[in-house]
């Protein structure tokens, strides 16, 4: 089972009014374990960085000048996320909204909401009324986020992957580490059948019930009377 955990940093919160993505970070999970494959890009938003957004992630105009534009990294991003892989994000509608706004600009099909797994919604359902920001969830689950001075897409993605695994019940590698055959490799293998020796059946073992145990059983069955269901098919 392949999943992609991802995060975006942006120039603001309104993609429909011209805010753009400035960073994407994503990591691949297979059977809920990181594979080591990741995607990370800083992106030229083709517009000035507002001070409010700069205070969140620290990505300014000088740093982003000369970085690739979204259209230049889109093909690699689309290849990395695949066509039907589940996409996990914290407040996923925000990130889906920005990705889809960028896709509209370059004429790409939009992400299907059915691919979305929102860890914020999961956390709110599991811990109603509690703080469910990424930092709050890291504290709740004992995840070290000491390197998170500012928001950064790649570091947030690694933290979110750990939070996601806790939200679904924690890692259970003993259940998923055993390699599973691909569908094309699956075979139906008949269990070996022991050979039946020719000739008469061997004499049965002698009964191990004592006389007192047999008498107690007979007395118990007699008390059942006609309610003993096997009496309908066996002589008394």
């Amino acid at each position: 089972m392949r999943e992609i955990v991802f995060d975006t940093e942006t120039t603001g919160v309104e993609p429909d009014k011209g805010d753009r993505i400035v960073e994407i970070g994503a990591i691949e999970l297979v059977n809920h374990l990181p594979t080591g494959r990741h995607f990370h890009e800083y992106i030229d938003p083709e517009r000035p960085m507002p001070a409010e957004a700069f205070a969140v992630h620290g990505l300014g105009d000088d740093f982003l000048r000369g970085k690739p534009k979204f259209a230049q990294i889109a093909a690699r991003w689309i290849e990395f996320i695949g066509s039907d892989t589940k996409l996990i994000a914290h407040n996923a509608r925000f990130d889906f909204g920005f990705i889809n706004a960028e896709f509209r600009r370059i004429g790409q099909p939009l992400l299907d909401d059915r691919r979305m797994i929102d860890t914020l919604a999961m956390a709110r359902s599991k811990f109603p009324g509690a703080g469910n920001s990424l930092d709050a969830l890291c504290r709740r689950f004992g995840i070290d986020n000491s390197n998170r001075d500012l928001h950064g897409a790649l570091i947030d993605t690694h933290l979110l992957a750990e939070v996601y695994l806790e939200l679904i019940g924690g890692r259970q590698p003993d259940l998923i580490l055993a390699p599973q055959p691909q569908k094309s490799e699956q075979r139906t293998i008949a269990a070996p059948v022991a050979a039946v020796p020719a000739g008469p059946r061997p004499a049965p073992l002698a009964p191990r019930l004592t006389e007192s145990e047999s008498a107690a059983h007979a007395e118990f069955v007699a008390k059942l009377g006609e309610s003993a269901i096997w009496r309908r098919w066996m002589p008394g």
Side-chain angles (χ1 to χ4, degrees), residues 20 24 46 69-78 98-110:
R20 303 290 298 273
I24 301 177
E46 305 179 74
K69 298 175 175 59
F70 185 87
Q72 295 172 293
I73 62 95
R76 290 193 300 107
W77 171 241
I78 292 167
F98 270 91
I99 295 292
N100 281 337
E102 298 289 356
F103 279 175
R104 286 189 192 95
R105 290 186 179 96
I106 60 175
Q108 284 290 330
L110 305 187

Side-chain angles (χ1 to χ4, degrees), residues 97-182:
F98 270 91
I99 295 292
N100 281 337
E102 298 289 356
F103 279 175
R104 286 189 192 95
R105 290 186 179 96
I106 60 175
Q108 284 290 330
L110 305 187
L111 295 178
D112 189 331
D113 280 356
R114 288 175 295 184
R115 299 177 64 179
M116 180 191 301
I117 297 178
D118 186 356
T119 52
L120 178 59
M122 293 172 66
R124 285 173 172 169
S125 175
K126 195 165 187 176
F127 309 113
N132 289 309
S133 67
L134 184 56
D135 282 333
L137 291 168
C138 285
R139 289 192 296 272
R140 176 183 294 277
F141 294 128
I143 297 168
D144 182 8
N145 65 341
S146 56
N147 292 327
R148 192 181 187 242
D149 297 328
L150 293 171
H151 287 247
L154 194 56
I155 188 171
D156 285 1
T157 295
H158 282 277
L159 294 172
L160 182 58
E162 294 190 60
V163 165
Y164 171 64
L165 295 177
E166 294 293 343
L167 287 170
I168 62 174
R171 284 190 183 90
Q172 298 184 45
D174 55 314
L175 298 182
I176 56 181
L177 285 180
Q180 299 297 319
Q182 299 297 318

